[in-house]
């Protein structure tokens, strides 16, 4: 690896610019929207139900659930007065608000407490701007914490207060966590009854998996980012003994511009693909040539209507309490 190559994460402005270009050339958010429309309603169907069984099991003498419900003034199927959502790495809030909207549709009129853990003050500012111009959020309370997931975990453990949540989501952020199993175990401990964790990461069947395995050792290494796919996560979840379901959805990244010289979009997409700042200007010619060839191969991309579409498939992993 040439000494002049450096991690994209060493230049925050460049990273943000390349990430935005990635979003504009990929179907990432459309893929997430498809999941929200097709799968999320079923996943959150029981978040708000008041469980009678824990109380029922405390009875000292036989009694039917129906009789116990009458005695405690709960109706079977009653819902909670508030749903608590914790967003880890909420970014600028675009996907968070889609999730909030789905919860509102499922439980009209129920108050929602949406707390966000996000290390970027810039992203939090954009999130607040989005909330300010979004309608129908009257029953939603927002709170933002400018910290990493590890800092949040440390703060909660120091307070020795266990805050339970109905829904926790971690969208495209586990790449930036050093101890993923410990993080999964901690946040799973915060789940209330019927609660869920939603994790979104790149699929083990994606082009990213092949790219990282083949070229990761030749690209700048950075402690801030790990090469992690759904295959790695499901192995960790199995080791932790946690129950989960995994759904894969198709997504693509149009990298056609990467094969045209003197193109700003190409420069930014190359940076994002390789996690290298100014890859085109600093990469050894042989490395660039190999990548140009490989990224057009079927294991990485498909060709359609003159475009080269990199496999950006996503996995949506749902963990139960």
């Amino acid at each position: 690896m040439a000494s002049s190559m450096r991690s994209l994460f060493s230049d925050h402005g460049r990273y943000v610019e390349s990430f935005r270009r990635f979003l504009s050339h990929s179907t990432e958010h459309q893929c997430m929207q498809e999941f929200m429309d097709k799968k999320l309603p079923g996943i959150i169907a029981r978040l708000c139900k008041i469980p009678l069984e824990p109380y029922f099991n405390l009875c000292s003498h036989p009694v039917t659930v129906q009789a116990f419900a009458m005695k405690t003034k709960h109706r079977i199927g009653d819902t909670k007065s508030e749903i608590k959502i914790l967003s880890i790495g909420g970014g600028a809030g675009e996907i968070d608000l889609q999730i909030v909207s789905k919860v509102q549709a499922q439980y009209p009129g129920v108050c929602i407490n949406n707390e966000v853990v996000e290390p970027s003050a810039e992203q939090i500012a954009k999130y607040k701007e989005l909330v300010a111009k979004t309608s129908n959020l009257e029953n939603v309370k927002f709170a933002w914490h400018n910290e990493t997931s590890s800092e949040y975990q440390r703060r909660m453990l120091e307070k020795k207060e266990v805050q339970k949540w109905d829904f926790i989501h971690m969208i495209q952020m586990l790449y930036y966590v050093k101890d993923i199993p410990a993080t999964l175990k901690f946040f799973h401990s915060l789940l209330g009854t019927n609660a869920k964790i939603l994790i979104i990461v790149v699929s083990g069947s994606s082009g990213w998996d092949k790219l990282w395995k083949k070229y990761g050792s030749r690209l700048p290494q950075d402690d801030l980012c790990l090469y992690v796919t759904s295959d790695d996560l499901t192995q960790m979840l199995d080791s932790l003994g946690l129950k989960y379901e995994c759904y894969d959805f198709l997504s693509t990244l149009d990298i056609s511009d990467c094969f045209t010289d003197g193109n700003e979009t190409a420069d930014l997409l190359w940076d994002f693909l390789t996690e290298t700042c100014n890859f085109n200007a600093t990469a050894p010619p042989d490395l660039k040539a190999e990548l140009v060839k490989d990224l057009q191969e079927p294991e990485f991309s498909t060709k359609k209507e003159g475009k080269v579409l990199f496999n950006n498939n996503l996995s949506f992993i749902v963990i139960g309490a």
Side-chain angles (χ1 to χ4, degrees):
M1 183 183 75
S3 60
S4 60
M5 290 177 71
R6 61 190 176 98
S7 169
L8 180 59
F9 301 100
S10 66
D11 186 332
H12 179 69
R14 183 72 175 183
Y15 168 76
V16 171
E17 197 175 359
S18 66
F19 177 63
R20 288 175 179 164
R21 200 62 58 101
F22 159 77
L23 286 179
S24 68
H25 280 67
S26 75
T27 62
E28 174 117 340
H29 279 182
Q30 295 92 317
C31 173
M32 293 182 186
Q33 181 66 60
E34 183 183 6
F35 172 83
M36 304 298 171
D37 292 340
K38 292 182 176 179
K39 294 293 183 181
L40 191 60
I43 291 166
I44 63 175
R46 289 182 54 80
L47 292 186
C48 200
K49 301 300 181 184
I50 295 177
L52 295 180
E53 286 76 7
Y55 305 100
F56 176 69
N57 292 336
L58 292 176
C59 289
S60 58
H61 58 278
V63 62
T64 65
V65 172
Q66 288 82 357
F68 188 77
M70 291 177 64
K71 184 177 180 180
T72 58
K73 296 183 173 58
H74 282 307
R75 292 172 298 176
I76 296 173
D78 262 0
T79 57
K80 302 172 187 176
S81 59
E82 181 185 58
I83 296 176
K84 297 176 181 178
I85 301 175
L86 179 62
S87 166
I88 306 298
E94 297 99 327
I95 304 302
D96 281 25
L97 293 193
Q98 289 184 29
I99 291 172
V100 166
S101 176
K102 293 298 181 184
V103 174
Q104 286 179 308
Q106 192 95 9
Y107 304 104
V110 175
C111 292
I112 297 172
N113 175 18
N114 188 82
E115 292 200 20
V116 181
V117 175
E118 169 55 51
S120 168
E122 180 186 358
Q123 291 289 71
I124 288 176
K126 290 182 180 298
Y127 198 136
K128 290 180 178 179
E129 289 174 8
L130 183 61
V131 168
K133 64 184 182 183
T134 301
S135 59
N136 301 319
L137 294 176
E138 294 80 10
N139 67 324
V140 186
K141 293 184 295 182
F142 289 91
W144 290 269
H145 306 286
N146 187 192
E147 58 191 350
T148 66
S149 63
S150 299
E151 290 167 343
Y152 174 85
Q153 179 176 340
R154 194 178 309 118
R155 182 164 60 86
M156 292 298 105
L157 292 174
E158 287 173 356
K159 288 174 64 176
K160 297 181 180 178
E161 295 179 10
V162 179
Q163 169 72 54
K164 295 292 185 179
W165 299 90
D166 298 302
F167 193 64
I168 300 173
H169 55 85
M170 313 168 87
I171 299 173
Q172 294 287 48
M173 56 72 58
L174 283 176
Y175 318 108
Y176 313 108
V177 172
K178 288 188 177 180
D179 190 342
I180 295 176
T183 298
L184 295 173
K185 187 176 181 180
F186 170 73
F187 284 104
H188 185 264
S189 74
L190 303 185
L191 293 180
T193 305
N194 295 329
K196 306 283 187 184
I197 294 176
L198 169 64
I199 297 172
I200 304 179
V201 291
V202 295
S203 169
S205 69
S206 70
W208 294 107
D209 181 68
K210 285 79 175 173
L211 180 64
W212 292 338
K213 285 178 179 176
K214 186 167 184 178
Y215 290 99
S217 63
R218 299 170 65 186
L219 297 170
Q221 303 297 305
D222 195 294
D223 289 339
L224 293 176
C225 187
L226 302 174
Y227 298 142
V228 181
T229 72
S230 59
D231 287 352
D232 302 306
L233 284 182
T234 53
Q235 289 179 18
M236 294 177 197
L237 292 170
D238 288 336
S239 297
L240 291 169
L242 299 181
K243 295 181 179 179
Y244 62 89
E245 293 180 328
C246 185
Y247 308 91
D248 271 22
F249 279 72
L250 300 179
S251 175
T252 59
L253 167 63
D254 185 350
I255 59 172
S256 308
D257 286 323
C258 290
F259 311 107
T260 304
D261 292 331
N263 184 315
E264 183 191 32
T265 293
D267 291 342
L268 291 169
L269 289 178
W270 273 117
D271 284 10
F272 193 81
L273 283 164
T274 62
E275 296 180 1
T276 302
C277 189
N278 296 312
F279 175 84
N280 263 345
T282 61
D286 60 328
L287 175 60
K288 171 75 179 295
E290 287 179 53
L291 278 163
V292 166
K293 179 179 181 298
D294 272 350
L295 287 179
Q296 298 181 76
E297 295 297 324
E299 63 179 317
F300 291 94
S301 305
T302 58
K303 294 183 178 180
K304 185 177 180 181
E305 298 175 354
K307 296 181 178 180
V308 181
L309 304 176
F310 182 75
N311 182 333
N312 186 56
N313 290 353
L314 300 179
S315 291
F316 300 77
I317 301 173
V318 181
I319 308 170

